[in-house]
Amino acid sequence: MKAFIIHLKDISTSYNHAMSMVKTLTEYGHQPALFDGIPGNIAVENAKKDNITPYPYGIKADHLSEAEIKKFIIPERWQEFKNEYRFSVDRKKKFNEQDLNKISAPGVIGCFYSHYMLWHRCVKLDEPIMIFEDDVKFFRNMPDLDWEDVMVLALGKSVYNKDPYKKYMEDPVDPPRITDWSGTAMPGCVGYAIKPHAAKVLVKTYRSHYLPADNAINQTLCKIQMPTHIMGRTTLPDEGNISSIRTKGFPW
């Protein structure tokens, strides 16, 4: 399977760790390639040019009426949005100013654009692909399991050390199996596999709005699943965490 590693080529730590990931994935029998991530400052300019604005409602929210949804959808895209955007009716919590400031950070927009471009690539290739950020520590190869839309392959820092998910960092004795992810959205976007039909839904959904990448991939747009023998997790600070695909601060 083709695998893409989002990195920032001008940052040596990002490039070096991404290259080590290429080596590991090649040894696992995949076809990895580096993918130039979108720096935050460029992403901000792209968002202005493309007239892409933050989605005004949070993922964890209640019902919206059709009239409320129409307020922030470009009229000519309404019918397509209505057909494709399955999760819109499940949301109600409007972002407050603090939330909007957070998701408007250059790093958040750059991270979103980087994943968004790879969703486009998946649709164009018309085959499943793997997407990784530049700081994944691998423990094993991808298990030979089928999944429906999106399969989590690596856990983000806010999840991997928590029960019951930290058990996936160990070597389970039982054969690998697929489980449905219990969360509303992705447990970070550090590593996942996606199928073309799911990527197509994401591409169509976020043509005029964006969310942080891990929130953009959510259960009401596509089914999120996870293997019991997960490939890896984000690196820890004492392991030399080098991710340049950041949502906090403005390093890029």
Side-chain angles (χ1 to χ4, degrees), residues 63-75:
H63 294 283
L64 285 173
S65 69
E66 184 172 304
E68 288 174 311
I69 298 169
K70 277 188 172 181
K71 291 178 183 178
F72 56 89
I73 299 300
I74 299 173

Side-chain angles (χ1 to χ4, degrees), residues 58-111:
I59 291 300
K60 299 177 180 179
D62 297 326
H63 294 283
L64 285 173
S65 69
E66 184 172 304
E68 288 174 311
I69 298 169
K70 277 188 172 181
K71 291 178 183 178
F72 56 89
I73 299 300
I74 299 173
E76 56 267 28
R77 292 183 182 171
W78 169 247
Q79 191 57 47
E80 180 182 55
F81 181 95
K82 188 176 181 181
N83 292 340
E84 297 287 347
Y85 206 65
R86 292 182 283 135
F87 82 78
S88 59
V89 295
D90 296 325
R91 313 295 176 238
K92 78 175 180 185
K93 181 183 177 184
K94 194 167 185 176
F95 282 126
N96 58 36
E97 185 175 354
Q98 183 178 1
D99 292 332
L100 283 173
N101 287 338
K102 182 178 179 180
I103 69 172
S104 298
V108 174
I109 303 173
C111 184

Side-chain angles (χ1 to χ4, degrees), residues 35 42 52 68 83 92 96 113 133 160 167 220 242:
F35 181 84
I42 295 176
I52 293 177
E68 288 174 311
N83 292 340
K92 78 175 180 185
N96 58 36
Y113 260 104
E133 293 183 355
Y160 63 74
K167 66 184 179 184
T220 48
I242 46 72

Side-chain angles (χ1 to χ4, degrees), residues 3 36 51 62 69 79 100 103 141 161 175 186 195 211 225 236:
D36 291 341
N51 195 29
D62 297 326
I69 298 169
Q79 191 57 47
L100 283 173
I103 69 172
N141 196 1
N161 61 348
M186 290 284 282
K195 292 192 173 179
L211 283 168
Q225 297 172 295
L236 300 171

Side-chain angles (χ1 to χ4, degrees), residues 182-222:
S182 60
T184 304
M186 290 284 282
C189 267
V190 293
Y192 58 97
I194 187 168
K195 292 192 173 179
H197 64 267
K200 186 175 181 180
V201 170
L202 294 174
V203 166
K204 286 187 174 182
T205 297
Y206 296 109
R207 290 203 298 179
S208 58
H209 293 84
Y210 75 88
L211 283 168
D214 55 348
N215 283 276
I217 306 175
N218 59 79
Q219 293 284 20
T220 48
L221 278 178
C222 46

